[in-house]
Amino acid sequence: MAGRILIAYISRKGSTAEIAQAVGKELESTGNTVEVAEMKKVSSLAGNNAIVIGAPLYMGRMVGDVGKFVGQHREELINVPVAAFAVGISPVSKEAGSVEYGMKKLHSSLTPLQPVATTLFAGRLDPTQLSFVSRKMMEMAKIPSGDFRDWNAIASWARTLPTLLRV
Ligand SMILES: Cc1cc2nc3c(=O)[nH]c(=O)nc-3n(C[C@H](O)[C@H](O)[C@H](O)COP(=O)(O)O)c2cc1C
């Protein structure tokens, strides 16, 4: 079975957006119709058989708009299978917090949804994209910079989704 899937993401510096596109490509390759859209531009979820939510962790929390999106579309989201991914530096740096903590934050941002799949992907921290203050904060906290996105791991996770999302 194939269906329509919306991947709604938030991205401040672009790395989550590219992960959302990569997940979308995998889902399309299994015959699904996929729309990858910035969360703030999504006004309705009508017509989708499944939703994937993706957003980064900043300062120990999921960016706030995830909770807002879930609140706004709660009735529709409760009635379709939902998968979600967080993006952060914690998978490669314990100084950025534990993966368990990041996963807890992802789940609480999705409340009251019961996602069929969740994960936390390593993201990208590019010092040239940061303000002076953020860059200094990262240096002081010994947070590593670089692009840590594992495209194989992202594609593998995406390939598990059609069964879980029932599309
Ligand atoms: C100011 C700042 C705070 C961050 N805080 C966290 C954090 O608490 N936990 C984490 O795992 N990653 C943290 N990160 C890393 C981001 O989640 C990572 O860079 C991610 O790839 C950003 O996604 P985006 O490019 O889509 O905005 C932080 C990055 C910045 C610049």
Side-chain angles (χ1 to χ4, degrees):
M1 197 179 105
R4 287 188 67 86
I5 305 170
L6 171 70
I7 304 182
Y9 70 87
I10 302 174
S11 186
R12 288 191 185 160
K13 305 288 182 190
S15 64
T16 307
E18 289 170 0
I19 293 174
Q21 294 290 351
V23 170
K25 229 169 162 183
E26 279 305 323
L27 291 172
E28 249 167 17
S29 75
T30 51
N32 294 289
T33 303
V34 179
E35 183 190 356
V36 182
E38 255 189 285
M39 212 172 265
K40 64 176 182 217
K41 294 189 180 152
V42 175
S43 53
S44 164
L45 306 184
N48 291 291
N49 305 104
I51 311 288
V52 180
I53 290 172
L57 285 155
Y58 275 88
M59 307 302 275
R61 13 182 27 177
M62 292 297 291
V63 285
D65 287 349
V66 177
K68 224 193 242 167
F69 179 79
V70 171
Q72 261 166 7
H73 300 285
R74 186 190 151 117
E75 296 311 318
E76 287 161 293
L77 286 167
I78 284 174
N79 290 312
V80 286
V82 174
F85 64 87
V87 179
I89 237 51
S90 42
V92 292
S93 162
K94 61 178 182 331
E95 283 77 14
S98 70
V99 169
E100 291 71 27
Y101 181 81
M103 287 297 287
K104 221 160 116 181
K105 289 289 165 184
L106 171 61
H107 277 266
S108 60
S109 74
L110 297 169
T111 308
L113 307 181
Q114 298 199 318
V116 297
T118 51
T119 192
L120 168 50
F121 292 126
R124 177 185 66 200
L125 199 58
D126 177 356
T128 65
Q129 288 183 317
L130 300 181
S131 67
F132 178 78
V133 174
S134 297
R135 202 160 56 236
K136 285 290 153 206
M137 258 166 50
M138 293 297 154
E139 278 170 22
M140 275 161 58
K142 296 193 167 49
I143 309 277
S145 56
D147 189 348
F148 303 103
R149 291 171 296 172
D150 179 341
W151 298 107
N152 289 328
I154 292 163
S156 295
W157 184 74
R159 283 196 289 271
T160 66
L161 294 182
T163 309
L164 298 167
L165 293 171
R166 304 195 298 274
V167 287

